[in-house]
Amino acid sequence: MSVPVLETRDLTIRFGGHVAVDAVSCAFRAGTLTAIVGPNGAGKTTYFNLISGQLAASAGAVLLDGEDITRLGAAGRATRGIGRAFQITNLFPNLTVIENVRLAVQARADNSRHLWSRWSRHVEWIARAERALEEVNLIDQRETIAAALPHGDKRKLEVAIMMALEPHVFMFDEPTAGMSVDEVPVILDLIHKLKAHGDKTILLVEHKMDVVRSLADRIIVLHNGQLVADGEPAAVIASPIVQEAYLGQAPGRKPEAAHG
Amino acid sequence: MLGSLLSDDLPRSRLLAAALVAIVAALALAPFLFPGAAAINTAAKICIFIVLVASYDLLIGYTGIVSFAHTMFFGIGAYGVGLGLYSFGATWPVLFVGLLVALVAGIALALLIGLMSLRVRAIFFAMITLAVASAFMILATQFSEFTGGEDGRSFKVPELLRPATKFLDAPVLGVDINGRLAAYYLVFASAAALFLLALRIVNSPFGRVLQAIRENDMRAEALGYRVVYFRTVATLIAAAMAVAAGALSALWLRYTGPDTTLSFAIMLDILLMVVIGGMGTMYGAVIGASLFILAQNYLQRLMGLAAEALAGVPVLPHLVHPDRWLLWLGVLFVLSVYYFPSGIVGRLRGRK
């Protein structure tokens, strides 16, 4: 089999005595959307932070296209094609919506460090940023200051920033959290479209099981920092360990509510 | 043409545009409009401080780096040129070598501070710059054999810039066309060029990343920008510009000493000028420096006139006595921060 796009080997992080992510080994292949589920505090976001470089691993390795990137910082991993949309909205608050996205486009360009050319003359960056805003239905808010956006639009902007990076690996951390019901389809459509490309590697942390069912090709389950299940969505959801660790605790109720 | 000169960063407010045109015109024609040594000194000081404040705003307003070492770089420029001219004679080659040595020293020192401390939290960086700047000031005053100590050094400038050098026999519009005038226009033109350079840098792709880092450094890093690299380069550029401003100051004053370039009082003035003008706007440097230096130089005189006019009225003459000018400067500062928290330029642009 070919080399997986992304792989973690015994990836571990300890905070003092607490092991937040415990020797997680997992390979992610192109054209696959993997949903990562588990109760709150299971280490899903921490696992994401270890992959995209916000946190440095205590042990283990992260491989991108077979190359060890464990020692790279977040910037190095981003330029190699790992894109991240954060769970807690993480924008440039006092810049406009278009500028937030344009900065992501610029990051991909060779001349992103130019001191002498004028940013306003790089119209191709602006055009690409506008396309990303159109993809998430945010183009009408083009000139709004990011901090002034309603919550749902901030979530969309968060996703648009990642889309503008045009990464190989897309990491969505609860992209629809806190969105109103009528806003959610925009994001889900976008992920569906990404999947339709057939060659993207997509990781999705999501609590809403209906979303997971409709999108995931594969589900992995984290519990207390450990990988406890991995496989086809139907099989994983039905497995006793998942029923016990995560889904079984209150059928029909959202885990957020259960953990309040 | 105007767009490329101003790097597409137009004032975006009629009032601001008018104020900028007025300031630039007044500075360009200062020797002819405002005769007298005091007025021309004030105009030259404004030119020099516009560069100094603009370069500081590149750090604090655009990148979000708080440094207290900016006057140190100003001093390195002034001492580099000043001590060169003092020790090796008043010639142009000495002047340029002095500037070059100062630039290299300033950039090297900024690089050292940057690499040592830009990875740490902002507050530690501020403390380290404070420590280095204090150490530098002590060095400059203690090495008195070389630097002139507390007294500083007076020196001659190249012949072309000396007051005794006459270019025309007869005055034009009542102004002597001499070396002093040439020196003023050297300061004015250099300041204008340096300011436009700073304006271009903040409107470059690089400059936009600086703003992103100020807003959210962790997100900038996640987009693929190496934050330490950008912060370090911003620090180097700001240091180099401060060195250049220091060199201009030395040329104009024909003197360099701790009080005119290195003192923390000047650091505080720069900070106030940035805040009054508006952080994160290059035009704020022009407005802030002009207003502040005018107030510093003329408030006292204005109050003297007011006190005379109010003579005989109880209490009031004491309130506006020239000795209280610092009090009123303080009041003006508090009011301006209260009413224009984003600075004068921020306020003018916000209104649209």
Side-chain angles (χ1 to χ4, degrees), chain B residues 76-89:
Chain B
I76 288 175
Y79 274 94
V81 168
L83 296 182
L85 293 176
Y86 177 85
S87 313
F88 301 105

Side-chain angles (χ1 to χ4, degrees), chain A residues 189-223:
Chain A
D189 283 352
L190 190 87
I191 301 177
H192 270 296
K193 272 185 213 152
L194 265 184
K195 271 191 71 174
H197 279 284
D199 59 347
K200 309 290 186 206
T201 310
I202 308 168
L203 277 62
L204 169 72
V205 168
E206 185 55 73
H207 273 305
K208 299 183 183 104
M209 283 317 286
D210 49 335
V211 172
V212 171
R213 272 197 198 92
S214 79
L215 285 171
D217 303 309
R218 169 192 180 197
I219 297 181
I220 64 174
V221 183
L222 289 184
H223 186 49

Side-chain angles (χ1 to χ4, degrees), chain B residues 211-228:
Chain B
Q211 294 190 43
I213 289 170
R214 173 195 72 200
E215 289 294 312
N216 186 345
D217 55 349
M218 178 264 197
R219 185 38 144 165
E221 188 89 31
L223 292 184
Y225 296 115
R226 277 171 35 233
V227 169
V228 172

Side-chain angles (χ1 to χ4, degrees), chain A residues 54 75 78 84 86 90-94 99 102-103 106-107 113-121 158 161, chain B residues 3-4 7-8 197 200 203-206 208-209 212 215-216 218-219 221-226 229 237:
Chain A
Q54 273 73 36
R84 174 87 188 266
F86 291 87
N90 198 347
L91 308 169
F92 302 113
N94 295 311
E99 182 64 4
R102 200 198 59 79
L103 280 162
Q106 184 186 320
R113 293 172 176 185
H114 265 203
L115 276 161
W116 188 246
S117 71
R118 275 167 274 171
W119 72 271
S120 48
R121 299 293 161 104
E158 181 71 42
I161 289 174
Chain B
S4 91
S7 309
D8 294 339
L197 177 70
R200 172 57 61 93
N203 286 296
S204 68
F206 174 87
R208 285 276 149 163
V209 178
E215 289 294 312
N216 186 345
M218 178 264 197
R219 185 38 144 165
E221 188 89 31
L223 292 184
Y225 296 115
R226 277 171 35 233
Y229 167 84
I237 294 171

